[in-house]
Amino acid sequence: MAKLTQDELLAQFEEMTLIELSEFVKAFEDKFDVEAAAAAPVVVAGAAGGAAAEAVEEQDEFDVVLTGAGDKKIQVIKVVRELTSLGLKEAKDLVDGTPKPVLEKVAKDAAAKAKEQLEAAGAAVEVK
């Protein structure tokens, strides 16, 4: 059996899924009676860079957080009412109690549109 170089081993690890890598680490620990403590996760994370990137999902839900009402508080309250269907008192309380989320778990385009409307009314907004 030919001996693999370190680069060849790393190339093999890059093709493995995270589950396959986890099973390999367990088998390695059993075979050589060792415990992969701090060093193994670093190696696994480095070797599985491509697989780890695939496992991370793109964020698809955003929160629109009002961080300040600005000078045109009444305009901001009107926009908050349009976006949330809150009553006048509830919208005013939300604007007065900043920072508060206006919309939670909305799509990226809806969050961007809400941010644009609130900023046009003079509010300070964050999208998380």
Side-chain angles (χ1 to χ4, degrees):
M1 182 172 168
K3 185 175 179 181
L4 297 175
T5 66
Q6 186 175 2
D7 290 335
E8 291 170 331
L9 282 171
L10 288 174
Q12 290 296 315
F13 288 138
E14 285 179 340
E15 295 175 12
M16 297 174 80
T17 65
L18 290 176
I19 293 172
E20 291 170 335
L21 270 170
S22 175
E23 291 170 355
F24 170 77
V25 170
K26 288 177 187 173
F28 187 89
E29 289 173 342
D30 293 342
K31 171 81 174 175
F32 296 104
D33 194 28
V34 293
E35 187 172 324
V42 173
V43 171
V44 169
E54 293 173 6
V56 175
E57 293 182 22
E58 185 176 329
Q59 183 179 358
D60 60 352
E61 292 183 339
F62 296 86
D63 294 341
V64 179
V65 180
L66 183 67
T67 57
D71 295 337
K72 301 177 184 176
K73 189 172 165 182
I74 294 172
Q75 294 348 62
V76 174
I77 292 171
K78 287 180 180 179
V79 173
V80 168
R81 289 189 67 201
E82 290 173 17
L83 293 172
T84 62
S85 301
L86 291 174
L88 180 61
K89 181 177 180 353
E90 291 84 6
K92 182 182 179 301
D93 291 344
L94 188 145
V95 171
D96 287 340
T98 57
K100 290 238 178 169
V102 177
L103 299 173
E104 295 179 319
K105 298 182 180 178
V106 295
K108 185 176 184 176
D109 57 338
K113 184 176 178 182
K115 179 180 180 182
E116 183 180 307
Q117 288 177 327
L118 286 164
E119 286 178 342
V125 182
E126 283 183 13
V127 176
K128 297 183 179 181

